Amino acid sequence: MQEIDTFIGDSLGGDAEVSFIGNPLFYGPQVIRNIESEFGIRGQRYDSLLAAAKARSGSAFQLVLVDQMHAEDLLELSASGRFDPGMATLALAYRDADVARNFLRRWYARLDTTIGFLPMNVALEVWLSLVRLLLHGQVVLPDELVASRAALGDAPPAAKDPPPCALPPTGLPPTGLKPLTLREQEVLELIARGESNKRIAAELDITVHTVKLHVHNLVRKLDVPNRTAAVSLYFEQQQQQGSAR
């Protein structure tokens, strides 16, 4: 993993940082040192989301970790558009799984953007592995939260790729997705694979803003409430197509 971690630091440049929003009791100097020594990227703690947003003009956020004590602010400020992490990966750092599950349900009830989750009460090597995934733009959803997805009603797409057999072998969209343009179909397939907007933009060589526009359009065309529901329809159509063969 050392080559990958060195690449993370080298590729992001000197201005990139992992931002912690929370109390220094939980995100003290040792936590910052762990990040900097493991990934070669600067770590910085902020007392609030607004303080981080104010500092963003001089920093290129790569990963924003928000403590569970700021969960309410994160939800409200994100929903109102007053906090936007840009191209950074956003994750809730939690110590109480019940708090994280409640936040998960409320987040996807109000927003159609993905968010990761980082448990803080795990061994250091596990914690660093999860941070590594987040730095690579992956949506981390621990098993203790996945178990409650069925009860949430509107859950996020799985962080792991679906089995290869779940993808159309011909590259053609299921019949029910025909209203979508080819580009919208490509975006939806990548969403179904658990890719973030940033990764989709890089894969298709378009901007993140364009990705969001495609997501908005495909959600409207499929007459579903959000991207999560679009992914559910995507797999449902694939299963129906497979059964018909």
Side-chain angles (χ1 to χ4, degrees):
M1 287 292 185
Q2 189 58 45
E3 290 185 5
I4 295 177
D5 297 339
T6 301
F7 173 75
I8 290 175
D10 292 344
S11 64
L12 296 177
D15 290 334
E17 72 173 46
V18 175
S19 306
F20 296 90
I21 288 83
N23 193 299
L25 177 66
F26 301 114
Y27 309 103
Q30 185 57 53
V31 174
I32 302 299
R33 283 195 294 271
N34 286 337
I35 289 292
E36 294 179 339
S37 62
E38 183 75 11
F39 303 110
I41 180 174
R42 184 176 70 246
Q44 181 68 44
R45 187 194 65 80
Y46 300 96
D47 289 324
S48 69
L49 284 157
L50 293 180
K54 183 177 180 180
R56 184 184 168 202
S57 59
S59 300
F61 291 174
Q62 177 67 13
L63 171 61
V64 180
L65 298 170
V66 183
D67 186 74
Q68 67 176 49
M69 295 180 66
H70 295 267
E72 193 66 29
D73 283 346
L74 176 58
L75 182 63
E76 294 302 324
L77 293 175
S78 297
S80 66
R82 287 181 290 166
F83 180 76
D84 180 3
M87 295 183 66
T89 301
L90 181 64
L92 181 75
Y94 69 92
R95 295 169 298 282
D96 187 328
D98 287 337
V99 171
R101 278 190 286 267
N102 179 58
F103 178 83
L104 173 66
R105 175 182 58 79
R106 297 175 64 206
W107 178 272
Y108 283 102
R110 297 183 62 178
L111 295 116
D112 62 0
T113 56
T114 56
I115 187 170
F117 290 82
L118 179 66
M120 298 298 293
N121 54 352
V122 295
L124 177 59
E125 60 270 21
V126 175
W127 188 82
L128 288 172
S129 295
L130 295 175
V131 171
R132 181 177 292 109
L133 288 172
L134 290 166
L135 279 170
H136 281 283
Q138 299 300 306
V139 179
V140 174
L141 190 62
D143 289 344
E144 61 186 353
L145 305 185
V146 174
S148 66
R149 288 178 62 203
L152 295 178
D154 187 16
K160 297 180 179 179
D161 289 350
C165 61
L167 299 175
T170 62
L172 297 176
T175 304
L177 304 182
K178 281 185 177 179
L180 304 184
T181 66
L182 179 59
R183 180 63 86 188
E184 289 165 353
Q185 294 162 19
E186 292 173 336
V187 170
L188 180 55
E189 181 174 325
L190 289 169
I191 293 173
R193 291 178 178 175
E195 301 290 0
S196 65
N197 285 349
K198 181 170 62 176
R199 293 291 294 273
I200 294 173
E203 177 78 16
L204 301 179
D205 194 24
I206 57 179
T207 67
V208 173
H209 175 75
T210 301
V211 172
K212 292 180 179 180
L213 182 61
H214 285 312
V215 172
H216 173 78
N217 289 337
L218 70 87
V219 164
R220 177 179 54 80
K221 289 181 179 180
L222 295 177
D223 194 24
V224 291
N226 51 43
R227 62 193 285 158
T228 300
V231 169
S232 297
L233 179 61
Y234 176 84
F235 286 119
E236 179 182 330
Q237 292 289 332
Q238 287 179 348
Q239 290 173 351
Q240 292 177 359
Q241 190 179 57
S243 299
R245 288 175 180 162

